[in-house]
Amino acid sequence: MTQASTETKTAEPVKPTAHFAALHAELTEALNLAEFGAPDLPNPPAQCGVLLQAGRDRLTVETFDFWTAVSVTIPAATPVAKGWSLLDFDELKKALAALAAGETKAVANRIPVALAGDLLSTPDMAVPVMVRDLHEFTHPPESVPAMATVDAKAFLSQLERVLPCAGRDDTLPALTGVQMTLEGETLTMAATDRYRFGVATVPADATVEPSEKPLTTLIPADLLRRLAKRLKCHEGPVGIGIIEADVDGVARTTLTVGNTRITMRPLEGGLPKYTSLFPTKRETSIRVERSTLVRAVKKAAALIKAKGENGAAVTLAWSEDKVLTLFPRIGEDDRARVKGMEIPTAFTHGTADNVRGSSLSFNPALLLDALGTFPADTLTLHLRPMEDGQGKKPVLLTDGPDVAGDGYRHLLMPVRLDLIR
């Protein structure tokens, strides 16, 4: 009996056919943005490619690492023919930079660059770029059209205030993200690492009929940190579109920035419901000068390090004379001899009698982070009643005298001294 032999047929490699011309600066900027979706090896080799699609009036640059998809359109490109080329991202970026070697930045920006299939060229030189197999390339899901737009500067400034609160513990992945909620005419961003909680709001202009219910997504904070640095100079609106789950159960969020669309797969889960954590009432509100408090915390933290007592807290204490000082909690035997720095205060709610002889202790690094999220010269600490002369409930920091803040609220957990003694 004979056995018929079979041969595995493999698809013929797709010949790169994209033809276009563009300025060196345009293509370089497109690749810098596309890098957010370009994975490193040992991902599937095809996924380490950048898909260049040339059309009649534009060039589209696309990458996808299974979590983040980036699509950048260059309207100024002048394609010669419609086509597709999947080229190795890293090699293309390095070759493009090499073709401008020896030139000033101003001259390099104006260099005309052409691609014919896999051949990258300038008026001076040409070089082929490694081709990746288009058959093996996993195309990203469709981007989500913008449902609302927010001002770029307001969005990025509020995002940067929330980002320090995001956790970095990968064993709690949901806490390593920034939660974005689009509701009506407001985009709310929130993050927490269990020791602090930051919430910021940005006005949003709906571009479609608003959803009847809030739309929420949880985006990795690390990705947003890198994006914030790249998009700092962007002016104009930022579009946001959120799909919590499509017909295939795929959730995704797209940020549209100019000619760039960044589509992100959200983290699973969500942040704890935080509304009840933020106080609506307080016993005492105290206005402080931010720069003075920052100086005091830095001095106290430096003394903690100098004394080798890492892990020690810094304490805000009100004397019987109602004077507020900040000092490092160092030297068990000599603690009474440690002098604190005086912090001028103004009470905007309640009186000094509420805090006389009481104290609040904080992790100095977390307190400095919290203070760094406030750009204004002053901020307000909202305190709830003290317990046994010690603040044990989270302290709310806001821009203004009200607990609602001015679009941003920061909740900071005091150190329980009775637990660390």
Side-chain angles (χ1 to χ4, degrees):
M1 184 173 65
T2 61
Q3 183 176 356
S5 62
T6 60
E7 294 183 0
T8 302
K9 292 185 178 181
T10 57
E12 290 291 329
V14 178
K15 184 179 179 180
T17 57
H19 286 64
F20 67 85
L23 292 178
H24 191 280
E26 294 173 330
L27 190 54
T28 297
E29 178 61 16
L31 290 177
N32 286 339
L33 289 167
E35 192 162 13
F36 288 103
D40 297 323
L41 293 172
N43 276 278
Q47 224 57 38
C48 295
V50 53
L51 183 61
L52 305 169
Q53 301 184 59
R56 290 182 179 179
D57 58 355
R58 68 189 60 195
L59 167 70
T60 303
V61 179
E62 292 187 356
T63 53
F64 180 45
D65 66 359
F66 301 112
W67 280 90
T68 304
V70 180
S71 176
V72 186
T73 300
I74 306 177
T78 54
V80 176
K82 184 177 181 180
W84 297 265
S85 293
L86 183 66
L87 305 181
D88 183 84
F89 179 89
D90 190 54
E91 185 171 303
L92 175 61
K93 188 174 181 181
K94 289 179 179 177
L96 184 66
L99 288 172
E103 309 289 356
T104 65
K105 184 176 181 180
V107 171
N109 287 342
R110 298 192 300 269
I111 295 174
V113 178
L115 182 76
D118 65 341
L119 187 66
L120 187 69
S121 63
T122 67
D124 293 329
M125 290 187 176
V127 62
V129 179
M130 181 192 304
V131 177
R132 295 293 187 181
D133 189 351
L134 189 57
H135 287 301
E136 301 295 327
F137 183 73
T138 299
H139 291 269
E142 290 186 7
S143 59
V144 186
M147 299 171 176
T149 61
V150 294
D151 178 75
K153 288 185 177 179
F155 171 73
L156 289 174
S157 65
Q158 294 292 60
L159 174 61
E160 288 180 337
R161 300 175 80 179
V162 168
L163 281 170
C165 298
R168 297 176 182 269
D169 185 355
D170 291 334
T171 64
L172 298 169
L175 300 190
T176 64
V178 172
Q179 184 168 284
M180 297 186 182
T181 302
L182 188 59
E183 182 176 14
E185 297 181 345
T186 302
L187 175 67
T188 302
M189 295 177 281
T192 184
D193 60 2
R194 296 184 297 167
Y195 305 105
R196 51 195 167 170
F197 215 126
V199 177
T201 58
V202 181
D205 296 320
T207 57
V208 297
E209 186 68 26
S211 171
E212 294 181 358
K213 67 180 186 68
L215 296 173
T216 298
T217 186
L218 188 62
I219 303 302
D222 183 59
L223 173 61
L224 291 173
R225 287 188 190 98
R226 293 185 291 123
L227 277 176
K229 291 179 182 179
R230 172 59 61 182
L231 302 177
K232 262 186 177 178
C233 298
H234 177 73
E235 295 183 357
V238 173
I240 181 168
I242 299 172
I243 291 181
E244 294 182 335
D246 60 13
V247 292
D248 298 319
V250 178
R252 56 193 185 278
T253 300
T254 297
L255 294 180
T256 303
V257 185
N259 295 320
T260 302
R261 297 191 307 275
I262 304 162
T263 302
M264 299 158 284
R265 174 183 169 188
L267 296 168
E268 294 184 2
L271 299 188
K273 294 183 179 180
Y274 55 82
T275 305
S276 61
L277 300 178
F278 284 81
T280 56
K281 297 180 180 179
R282 76 284 198 200
E283 182 179 66
T284 312
S285 294
I286 304 167
R287 200 76 171 159
V288 298
E289 187 178 75
R290 189 180 68 88
S291 60
T292 302
L293 190 51
V294 168
R295 284 172 47 228
V297 177
K298 286 184 175 180
K299 293 176 188 296
L303 285 172
I304 289 171
K305 184 176 180 180
K307 293 287 287 184
E309 296 194 22
N310 295 334
V314 296
T315 294
L316 285 166
W318 286 267
S319 68
E320 291 298 329
D321 296 330
K322 308 173 189 177
V323 176
L324 176 64
T325 60
L326 183 139
F327 63 89
R329 297 191 67 86
I330 52 178
E332 286 291 339
D333 298 332
D334 297 327
R335 184 165 294 169
R337 300 169 61 190
V338 176
K339 179 179 179 293
M341 179 173 168
E342 185 173 332
I343 311 295
T345 60
F347 287 82
T348 61
H349 183 84
T351 68
D353 290 329
N354 296 338
V355 293
R356 185 203 303 265
S358 300
S359 66
L360 282 164
S361 295
F362 296 100
N363 176 303
L366 296 188
L367 181 55
L368 276 177
D369 276 352
L371 298 175
T373 63
F374 290 88
D377 294 333
T378 60
L379 71 152
T380 304
L381 283 68
H382 303 279
L383 312 178
R384 285 176 275 191
M386 301 287 182
E387 300 176 22
D388 302 324
Q390 181 185 339
K392 298 180 181 179
K393 293 183 178 179
V395 174
L396 177 63
L397 286 70
T398 66
D399 300 272
D402 190 69
V403 290
D406 185 20
Y408 175 70
R409 297 176 293 163
H410 191 112
L411 202 63
L412 185 61
M413 179 67 71
V415 173
R416 292 283 297 272
L417 296 179
D418 54 338
L419 296 180
I420 63 174
R421 282 180 181 144

